[in-house]
Amino acid sequence: MTVHFIGAGPGAPDLITVRGLKLIQSCPVCLYAGSLVPPEMVAEVPEGARVVDTSSLTLDEIIAEFERAHAEGKDVARVHSGDPSIYGAVAEQMRRLDALGIDYDVTPGVPAFAAAAALKKELTVPEVCQTIILTRTSMKSSAMPEGEDLVTLGKSGATLVIHLSIRNLPRIETDLVPLYGADCPVIVAYRVGWPDEQFIHGTLADIAGKVRESGLTRSAMIFVGKGLSADAFRDSALYHEDHSHTLRSRSE
């Protein structure tokens, strides 16, 4: 018996990996985070499978489901949004499974910040931004470790992809305006890949008001950085005629 942690991607059912889908199709037990994973993502479970939405369960209740499946010798598809390694809350589940001696593996998924594809954006624009920082802010959740606050991270000038922080926009504005400027582009991406996906474009100065007017309060990511609106940038050296590498020699 194995618990298969599966990354379901940002939301669209056809953005799950082939491996992840095959596991869902084969496991007689399926646990999925219904607040972040649409039911369509687990629609292809085997007939008669036990399907549990874990959005209202505690960690102990989730582990009890694993133990029940283990006792019955049934594999479990444990479906998380995005890629499980990023804000997936899987570490504590794995720790419990280790203590219980229950086998598990992890199938990666398309990360939630792949919302940039829906925006038709490259987050690493030549000579504008070559670094992406995935982070969050602290509200009711666990505190951020020392040195990982927005002020510290923002000093890099990197493109920031801020998770789990849609209700903390005023604080984000306060922390980042001195570093990025009030006119720095911001995009809020809501439920990317779902039928009701939404993108709100603004700046550090006005994004909080725009989001407040929209009524969004959850399930959104915040992109901040100069590269989001860059258009006067140089072409990448990768395909430049004067650039040679092992697969392409420049003609003299």
Side-chain angles (χ1 to χ4, degrees):
M1 177 271 178
T2 302
V3 174
H4 302 284
F5 290 95
I6 301 167
D14 59 350
L15 282 179
I16 193 170
T17 64
V18 173
R19 181 187 299 179
L21 179 59
K22 287 183 175 179
L23 286 169
I24 290 172
Q25 292 170 334
S26 66
C27 289
V29 178
C30 178
L31 277 61
Y32 75 104
S35 59
L36 297 170
V37 176
E40 294 80 6
M41 192 68 71
V42 297
E44 295 194 36
V45 294
E47 184 176 354
R50 176 173 172 77
V51 180
V52 180
D53 179 354
T54 62
S55 57
S56 63
L57 301 186
T58 65
L59 177 60
D60 285 343
E61 290 170 331
I62 292 169
I63 300 303
E65 290 287 346
F66 293 156
E67 291 182 289
R68 171 179 172 173
H70 184 257
E72 297 174 353
K74 296 179 178 179
D75 286 351
V76 177
R78 176 62 171 122
V79 185
H80 283 264
S81 63
D83 183 278
S85 67
I86 304 173
Y87 304 119
V90 297
E92 58 263 41
Q93 296 176 66
M94 294 176 182
R95 181 168 59 188
R96 295 285 193 96
L97 292 174
D98 285 335
L100 292 167
I102 297 176
D103 190 32
Y104 60 87
D105 57 28
V106 182
T107 296
V110 177
F113 71 90
L119 291 165
K120 300 179 181 178
K121 296 289 185 182
E122 180 175 352
L123 298 181
T124 51
V125 180
E127 297 186 354
V128 177
C129 180
Q130 292 288 288
T131 301
I132 304 165
I133 296 177
L134 311 180
T135 189
R136 67 171 179 84
T137 60
S138 180
M139 293 184 70
K140 293 183 178 180
S141 54
S142 56
M144 293 296 288
E146 184 178 355
E148 293 189 18
D149 57 281
L150 282 184
V151 172
T152 300
L153 299 178
K155 290 177 181 177
S156 68
T159 296
L160 302 177
V161 183
I162 308 172
H163 297 63
L164 309 171
S165 301
I166 191 63
R167 290 177 290 175
N168 214 9
L169 280 167
R171 174 63 182 274
I172 291 171
E173 176 187 346
T174 298
D175 287 348
L176 294 183
V177 163
L179 300 168
Y180 287 75
D183 62 345
C184 179
V186 179
I187 302 174
V188 171
Y190 171 74
R191 302 226 307 184
V192 179
W194 293 57
D196 59 346
E197 77 173 12
Q198 185 176 348
F199 300 99
I200 301 176
H201 296 251
T203 65
L204 280 172
D206 63 19
I207 194 66
K210 289 184 175 182
V211 169
R212 185 168 55 251
E213 291 174 3
S214 75
L216 299 185
T217 59
R218 58 187 297 274
S219 302
M221 281 181 304
I222 305 160
F223 293 77
V224 181
K226 298 292 186 181
L228 297 175
S229 64
D231 52 15
F233 55 90
R234 57 156 288 182
D235 291 342
S236 168
L238 180 62
Y239 300 112
H240 195 278
E241 60 183 7
D242 291 331
H243 180 66
S244 62
H245 50 73
T246 57
L247 297 179
R248 189 184 72 229
S249 298
R250 182 169 66 88
S251 299
E252 295 296 339

